[in-house]
Amino acid sequence: MSEGKGDRFARAGEFLARRRWWVVILWLLVAGALGAFAGKAQTTLQGAGFDVEGSESQAVAQLLDREFHDSTATSAVVVYTSDGPVTDPAFAKKAAAVDERLRKVPGVAEVRGFATSGNPELVSRDRHTALSTVVLSGGQSAAQNAIPALRERTADAGIDVKITGFPAVQYDTYQLSQDDLTKTEAITFPVVAVFLLIFFRTVVSALVPLLLGGIAVATATGVLGLLGAQFPISVFALNIGSLIGLGLAIDFCLIMVRRVREERAAGRTASRAVTAMLTTSGRSVLFSGLTLLLSMVLVTVVFRDMMIVRSITFGVALVSAVGLAGAMTLVPALLYLLGDRIERLRVMPAPKPKAPNSGVWYRLSMSVTRRPTGWLLLSVLLLGVLSLPTLHMEFVGANTGALPSSTGSAVGAREVESAFTKNALTPIKITIRSRDRNGAFTPDFLTALRTTTDTLARDPRTEQVASLSTMLGKLPDGAFAKLRKDSFDGAPAARSAPVARLVNLHSRADTATITVVPKAEMYDREHLDYVTDLREHVLPELTGLRGYDVQVGGDAASFVDFETSLYGRFPIVAAVITLAILALLLLFFRSLLLPLKAVVTSVLPLVAAYGALVWVFQDGHGEGVLGFTSQGRLSVITPMIVFTILFALSTDYEVFLLSRVRENFERTGDTERSVALGLQQTAGLITAAAMILIATFGSLAASSVETLKEIGIGLAIGVLLDATIVRLIIVPATMQLARGANWWLPKWLRPILPQLSHEGPSAPRRVDTPEPMESTA
């Protein structure tokens, strides 16, 4: 093993060879210890997280929760329906009994029921539907976890009862996501196992990637379970992260095991073949894995105040780190241990040796490089056509529309919207706060409250308004302005309780709320623009409100804050990730053009995947096949998540392909033949890796939550386009057009950049080296 002693990868290989048993045992112990906590992820992760920490909407939600116990984020809604009037004494008695049961559930702070409060606003106009509000303590996570107990207490009520509201939507999203994870893993592992048997042709070699994938998923899940008990983490981190970790771990193994087989075919001993693999493919795997890991860490840091985004990217970063560490240590150790035994239990015959210039991929590359301009224009035109639907992309946030229509929270929400108004569960919430104790009961404050309420009621975009002013609407302006807090002190609950829901009567009495129900549906642009207009124009222009702290919240406001924050920072994130990837590729290839070309060619399939997502989900053309009902919009997080993952993954294929092209160019000096040989050597491998990733991501199509479907399908389409049109056509065409410029690096830059791209010594290659992966071509 003296060969390559000057190369740190070779030295690492020699160390792993000497400590192979210790490495395997240590990995099994770590995976077993952390995997034991995987079950905690089932109870510590949350269902949503579509808010921005420190935003105006979150400040309103916290104020409403603290002063009024009226935050939609921590209040469940109980929906009572009847064929007759819900005010019928027999029905009302049963509803009151249910409310009493709910009061005894741990974590319930208050129940405001129609049957006990007599509040007419809780009964629909046709009197067939009524509501109770269950205020839950302990924050969003505790509110979500209380939903099963609430539903259990209503199961045998003897009347039609459903529970909806934000905590119920969160819980249903969480529960469905857990079920989806089990479902997708049941689909993914058998499909991937079959693919691996076809690609590797022996049972033993196919088990190595599955082992690494299983260890990566189990370890990362255990870590998420432990961290979820300390920090808020979305369950989406588990669904998306585990599948990406599985796909990446298997892809890394594909590259490494295949290279070992190639080195053995070139005449190396089993041990030296593993060392040579580390100095060549191992180096490529390390750079590719670091590219994805760095991208995910950057996004996690930038969006640390947005729980669902940081959860997903952190989950992907975690499984990437575990998978990469396993690929660089556990896989070589296993290969050292197995030696030639990796070829045992053969299920398919080995491929026949063939000349390197006789394969399908070689002939395709030569065809492309002989007419590079035509092939390039045709490919770009095709991707451009696929991208066209992106021009009318619209977004939607967390709501029941992303859940199956039969889900409890979705059914309850539809009944509320049908019986009351479309936005009954998602109104705009406005808070007006004075700096002084009892400041809400001063003439100036009350006059401003009435003026604001009347202004909002006259707005053509408003359907309903509720405030202390509307409650006491019969009072003349002068009498209303003279209201005093002591008028309600010691008053019967029937009189003071309604007021306390509109002014924090039992606290500082310094804040009043106004509830606005817009006419337009929540995610219609008119509704969202109304929120922005209230913040920027309507409320600031009311002179009576000057001197008071006025904020606009509610679900629509939360979505506006989320969308604005997410895509306001998107260009910065894209630029930082692009620069990071350019720097890594510059170090790896020691070329200026290749990193730039890699970034451009990675963007093309990404935008095309966006267009496909809009066509399938937003336009609804995939409803029948994928089993969902289109909301006419994409989930607001889908484009961002697809970008961060797909952009980094696409550079992986660039590294694998161009590293072999460079090897051939250094040997032959012929760009056209080097590209063709590189494609012949790697296209089968890239195809195999892409098929596994497509199968892994595509399994999310079986998810019940539409957001997961979108992300999975978007990633699968992006990988498919990247592995076919980009790698097989655009890359050879652009390299042929650039020729010698592909490898150009200014002289002044050469001594500055460290020598990272050199792949170490390699044995002389026979021209008839068999390529196991190519048999799938």
Side-chain angles (χ1 to χ4, degrees):
M1 277 206 197
S2 59
E3 219 174 311
K5 277 191 178 294
D7 185 281
R8 60 175 58 91
F9 282 83
R11 292 197 300 272
E14 293 176 356
F15 174 82
L16 292 170
R18 292 193 301 270
R19 302 286 189 270
R20 51 189 177 271
W21 275 112
W22 286 107
V23 172
V24 174
I25 292 171
L26 181 61
W27 266 104
L28 292 176
L29 289 175
V30 170
L34 290 175
F37 295 99
K40 290 181 67 67
Q42 308 291 324
T43 56
T44 60
L45 302 185
Q46 298 182 22
F50 286 85
D51 55 4
V52 183
E53 294 173 9
S55 64
E56 182 174 342
S57 57
Q58 188 186 63
V60 171
Q62 292 172 346
L63 176 61
L64 292 172
D65 191 25
R66 183 176 65 252
E67 299 291 335
F68 299 91
H69 300 300
D70 191 33
S71 171
T72 56
T74 54
S75 296
V77 177
V78 185
V79 186
Y80 298 97
T81 56
S82 173
D83 294 333
V86 292
T87 52
D88 178 80
F91 186 92
K93 183 178 180 180
K94 291 181 179 180
V98 172
D99 286 350
E100 188 59 34
R101 287 191 199 176
L102 297 178
R103 288 188 178 91
K104 298 177 180 178
V105 173
V108 172
E110 184 180 356
V111 178
R112 299 167 183 160
F114 84 98
T116 53
S117 69
N119 185 354
E121 294 179 359
L122 298 177
V123 179
S124 63
R125 291 180 181 177
D126 65 6
R127 309 183 73 78
H128 292 302
T129 305
L131 307 177
S132 289
T133 301
V134 180
V135 180
L136 299 161
S137 59
Q140 290 189 25
S141 181
Q144 168 191 307
N145 293 332
I147 295 300
L150 297 181
R151 286 177 170 164
E152 182 182 350
R153 297 296 177 95
T154 63
D156 57 350
I159 53 177
D160 189 352
V161 186
K162 296 179 183 66
I163 293 181
T164 187
F166 186 79
V169 173
Q170 268 207 307
Y171 175 78
D172 288 339
T173 301
Y174 166 83
Q175 192 60 53
L176 288 170
S177 298
Q178 291 291 312
D179 297 341
D180 288 342
L181 181 61
T182 303
K183 189 191 310 179
T184 53
E185 287 180 345
I187 295 171
T188 302
F189 272 96
V191 171
V192 168
V194 171
F195 278 152
L196 290 174
L197 286 173
I198 294 173
F199 298 143
F200 282 141
R201 299 169 179 262
T202 70
V203 173
V204 175
S205 58
L207 287 176
V208 174
L210 285 176
L211 176 62
L212 177 59
I215 286 177
V217 171
T219 303
T221 302
V223 173
L224 285 174
L226 289 171
L227 293 178
Q230 307 299 321
F231 309 99
I233 298 177
S234 170
V235 69
F236 285 3
L238 192 58
N239 291 71
I240 297 172
S242 62
L243 291 179
I244 289 177
L246 176 64
L248 278 178
I250 290 173
D251 275 6
F252 291 157
C253 281
L254 279 173
I255 296 160
M256 301 175 85
V257 174
R258 177 193 180 278
R259 189 69 186 228
V260 167
R261 282 178 157 179
E262 185 180 329
E263 297 295 338
R264 288 290 289 124
R268 290 186 184 273
T269 64
S271 182
R272 289 188 174 182
V274 178
T275 302
M277 175 273 292
L278 282 171
T279 64
T280 53
S281 295
R283 196 182 305 262
S284 298
V285 164
L286 179 61
F287 266 79
S288 300
L290 287 176
T291 300
L292 179 62
L293 181 59
L294 178 61
S295 299
M296 294 302 106
V297 170
L298 286 172
V299 177
T300 303
V301 171
V302 172
F303 292 107
R304 60 189 177 277
D305 58 344
M306 304 175 77
M307 193 259 277
I308 192 166
V309 178
R310 74 164 185 254
S311 297
I312 293 174
T313 53
F314 174 75
V316 175
L318 182 61
V319 295
S320 300
V322 175
L324 181 60
M328 298 306 297
T329 56
L330 176 62
V331 172
L334 285 172
L335 294 176
Y336 280 124
L337 282 173
L338 291 171
D340 287 336
R341 290 187 292 273
I342 198 169
E343 303 298 339
R344 290 187 177 178
L345 301 179
R346 183 169 293 278
V347 295
M348 296 175 65
K352 295 180 180 179
K354 53 188 174 184
N357 58 355
S358 64
V360 172
W361 307 117
Y362 184 92
R363 294 194 297 272
L364 173 62
S365 179
M366 294 300 289
S367 175
V368 170
T369 53
R370 284 168 187 157
R371 298 178 181 82
T373 303
W375 279 102
L376 181 60
L377 290 175
L378 182 63
S379 300
V380 173
L381 178 62
L382 175 59
L383 293 176
V385 170
L386 290 174
S387 303
L388 287 176
T390 307
L391 297 174
H392 63 276
M393 184 185 293
E394 296 284 345
F395 297 132
V396 66
N399 68 343
T400 56
L403 306 178
S405 58
S406 59
T407 306
S409 58
V411 174
R414 286 198 305 272
E415 291 182 354
V416 173
E417 291 171 0
S418 175
F420 292 86
T421 65
K422 288 178 291 188
N423 298 300
L425 294 175
T426 57
I428 296 172
K429 290 284 192 175
I430 300 171
T431 59
I432 305 173
R433 192 169 196 183
S434 169
R435 297 185 180 93
D436 303 320
R437 178 178 289 275
N438 300 329
F441 289 95
T442 63
D444 288 345
F445 188 98
L446 292 169
T447 299
L449 177 63
R450 172 150 287 187
T451 301
T452 303
T453 302
D454 292 344
T455 300
L456 296 174
R458 289 193 301 267
D459 195 299
R461 296 167 291 187
T462 298
E463 182 169 340
Q464 293 178 8
V465 177
S467 70
L468 183 64
S469 177
T470 59
M471 174 182 286
L472 304 177
K474 293 182 180 180
L475 279 180
D477 293 348
F480 182 75
K482 293 179 181 178
L483 283 174
R484 294 292 178 266
K485 178 180 179 295
D486 54 19
S487 302
F488 304 99
D489 289 341
R495 183 178 174 215
S496 63
V499 176
R501 289 196 288 270
L502 300 170
V503 179
N504 57 340
L505 193 63
H506 303 306
S507 179
R508 285 177 51 88
D510 61 353
T511 305
T513 68
I514 303 176
T515 300
V516 181
V517 179
K519 293 177 181 178
E521 293 185 5
M522 179 171 153
Y523 293 106
D524 284 353
R525 186 47 54 185
E526 180 183 337
H527 188 142
L528 301 177
D529 287 346
Y530 193 9
V531 171
T532 303
D533 195 30
L534 286 172
R535 287 174 167 177
E536 297 179 358
H537 299 290
V538 176
L539 298 176
E541 291 172 5
L542 291 174
T543 56
L545 292 177
R546 293 171 187 173
Y548 301 117
D549 182 15
V550 183
Q551 292 183 301
V552 180
D555 289 11
S558 180
F559 175 78
V560 169
D561 290 340
F562 187 90
E563 181 185 33
T564 302
S565 183
L566 183 65
Y567 289 103
R569 283 179 268 180
F570 182 79
I572 299 173
V573 170
V576 171
I577 290 178
T578 299
L579 290 174
I581 290 176
L582 283 172
L584 282 173
L585 294 180
L586 177 64
L587 291 172
F588 189 79
F589 289 121
R590 295 180 64 81
S591 160
L592 284 183
L593 181 61
L594 289 182
L596 291 172
K597 183 177 64 64
V599 169
V600 173
T601 55
S602 296
V603 170
L604 294 174
L606 174 64
V607 179
Y610 284 169
L613 280 174
V614 171
W615 189 82
V616 171
F617 289 96
Q618 182 173 314
D619 298 342
H621 295 290
E623 286 183 328
V625 176
L626 297 175
F628 69 95
T629 300
S630 175
Q631 301 183 73
R633 298 170 180 84
L634 293 181
S635 172
V636 66
I637 66 167
T638 296
M640 182 65 190
I641 298 302
V642 170
F643 166 81
T644 54
I645 296 174
L646 195 58
F647 193 63
L649 283 178
S650 62
T651 59
D652 289 355
Y653 294 148
E654 192 85 4
V655 169
F656 302 147
L657 171 58
L658 296 188
S659 60
R660 296 306 294 268
V661 172
R662 175 143 196 167
E663 282 186 59
N664 295 320
F665 182 78
E666 289 176 348
R667 190 173 65 248
T668 66
D670 183 338
T671 298
E672 183 178 24
R673 189 163 184 269
S674 297
V675 173
L677 286 171
L679 196 64
Q680 174 68 12
Q681 292 163 338
T682 61
L685 173 64
I686 290 175
T687 301
M691 289 179 68
I692 286 174
L693 282 180
I694 290 169
T696 303
F697 297 151
S699 66
L700 285 171
S703 299
S704 302
V705 181
E706 187 178 331
T707 303
L708 293 175
K709 286 182 186 284
E710 291 176 4
I711 293 173
I713 295 297
L715 291 173
I717 292 173
V719 169
L720 175 63
L721 294 174
D722 188 81
T724 53
I725 296 176
V726 174
R727 300 305 144 203
L728 301 182
I729 299 176
I730 293 179
V731 170
T734 52
M735 292 198 73
Q736 178 63 18
L737 290 171
R739 294 183 179 272
N742 286 307
W743 318 108
W744 181 75
L745 186 69
K747 290 183 179 179
W748 62 268
L749 193 56
R750 294 172 190 173
I752 298 176
L753 296 179
Q755 283 279 359
L756 299 179
S757 62
H758 178 62
E759 292 204 335
S762 186
R765 309 213 179 277
R766 299 203 302 253
V767 295
D768 61 345
T769 297
E771 299 286 345
M773 297 299 108
E774 290 172 6
S775 60
T776 64

